[in-house]
């Protein structure tokens, strides 16, 4: 997969809804009902972070849910890429970007939202042929004003900002011309997941899916 093809695929994922849920799941039993609730609420693109021992099994379960597009987050190494693809992930997300990781994703035909936080990061990806990236951690790196500032000299790159984004500030990002969608964990808070309150999560998803962009 070329960087251009990868960017086209990630742009398609970002176009599915204004918010991509960023999920840290600690129990495989929660995977299917959580995915069903988020998809029913209008958020079909799901990022499962590889931060828990059961994350790959969660991806396997969520990938079986009709209407969902499941990706693997926190990809750091070629081994992560291989494991994510084998588990059924159809896109990847990383906090940063290294040539080793980009090489692995391209070889595995896994479109990647590579993390950026500076103009130099963006320029390196543009040189390689990428036109869609992640802006992370968004709030810690100046928030929407910083992303707007990067967009002025580098309008070729479009972003999915994540990190510190909530319902309160999501529209600050979504209103920017260089933002395709945002990533956020607020749509699946851990207390609701543990309680199995899938209806409440579906309502949070519905609220997020109604955000304008």
């Amino acid at each position: 997969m070329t960087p251009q093809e990868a960017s086209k695929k990630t742009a398609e994922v970002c176009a599915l809804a204004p918010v991509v849920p960023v999920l840290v799941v600690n129990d495989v039993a929660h995977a299917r009902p959580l995915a069903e609730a988020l998809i029913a609420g209008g958020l079909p693109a799901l990022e499962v972070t590889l931060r828990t021992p059961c994350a790959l099994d969660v991806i396997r379960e969520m990938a079986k849910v009709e209407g969902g597009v499941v990706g693997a987050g926190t990809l750091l190494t070629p081994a992560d890429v291989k494991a994510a693809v084998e588990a059924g992930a159809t896109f990847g997300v990383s906090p940063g970007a290294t040539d080793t990781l980009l090489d692995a994703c391209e070889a595995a035909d896994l479109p990647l939202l590579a993390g950026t936080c500076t103009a130099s990061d963006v320029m390196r990806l543009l040189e390689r042929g990428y036109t869609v990236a992640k802006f992370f951690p968004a709030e810690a790196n100046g928030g929407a004003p910083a992303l707007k500032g990067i967009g002025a000299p580098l309008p070729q790159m479009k972003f999915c900002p994540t990190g510190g984004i909530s319902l309160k500030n999501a529209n600050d990002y979504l209103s920017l011309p260089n933002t395709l969608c945002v990533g956020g964990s607020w749509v699946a808070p851990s207390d609701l997941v543990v309680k199995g309150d899938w209806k409440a999560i579906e309502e949070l998803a519905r609220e997020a899916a109604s955000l304008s962009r």
Side-chain angles (χ1 to χ4, degrees):
M1 176 175 284
T2 67
Q4 292 80 7
E5 290 167 339
S7 293
K8 181 180 178 182
K9 292 291 186 182
T10 51
E12 290 171 357
V13 172
C14 291
L16 292 173
V19 178
V20 175
V22 179
L23 307 172
V24 181
V25 184
N26 292 287
D27 188 339
V28 178
H30 295 150
R32 183 178 287 269
L34 175 57
E36 289 172 344
L38 292 167
I39 293 165
L43 302 181
L46 310 173
E47 176 193 340
V48 179
T49 61
L50 301 186
R51 301 182 195 174
T52 67
C54 65
L56 292 170
D57 290 327
V58 169
I59 291 172
R60 288 187 183 93
E61 285 301 305
M62 287 190 170
K64 300 173 186 175
V65 179
E66 186 176 355
V69 178
V70 184
T74 328
L75 296 180
L76 304 177
T77 67
D80 291 338
V81 174
K82 184 175 185 292
V85 171
E86 290 176 350
T90 57
F91 69 96
V93 185
S94 175
T98 66
D99 287 334
T100 300
L101 182 64
L102 293 170
D103 288 343
C105 286
E106 290 164 14
D109 290 334
L110 185 69
L112 179 70
L113 277 169
T116 62
C117 67
T118 69
S120 293
D121 292 342
V122 174
M123 289 170 66
R124 279 192 288 270
L125 285 176
L126 286 171
E127 280 185 356
R128 187 161 176 140
Y130 287 89
T131 53
V132 180
K134 172 180 173 178
F135 181 61
F136 175 82
E139 283 293 287
N141 279 296
L147 191 55
K148 181 180 179 181
I150 287 176
L154 299 168
Q156 308 95 313
M157 186 66 82
K158 306 301 180 186
F159 295 91
C160 170
T162 71
I165 298 177
S166 66
L167 185 65
K168 183 178 179 180
N169 62 6
N171 275 326
D172 294 342
Y173 293 91
L174 292 170
S175 64
L176 299 177
N178 61 343
T179 297
L180 299 177
C181 66
V182 300
S185 59
W186 84 88
V187 293
S190 58
D191 59 331
L192 295 182
V193 173
V194 170
K195 288 192 296 185
D197 194 343
W198 312 121
K199 291 303 294 183
I201 289 175
E202 181 179 336
E203 286 307 309
L204 288 174
R206 200 177 308 281
E207 185 178 35
S210 70
L211 292 169
S212 59
R213 53 179 173 173

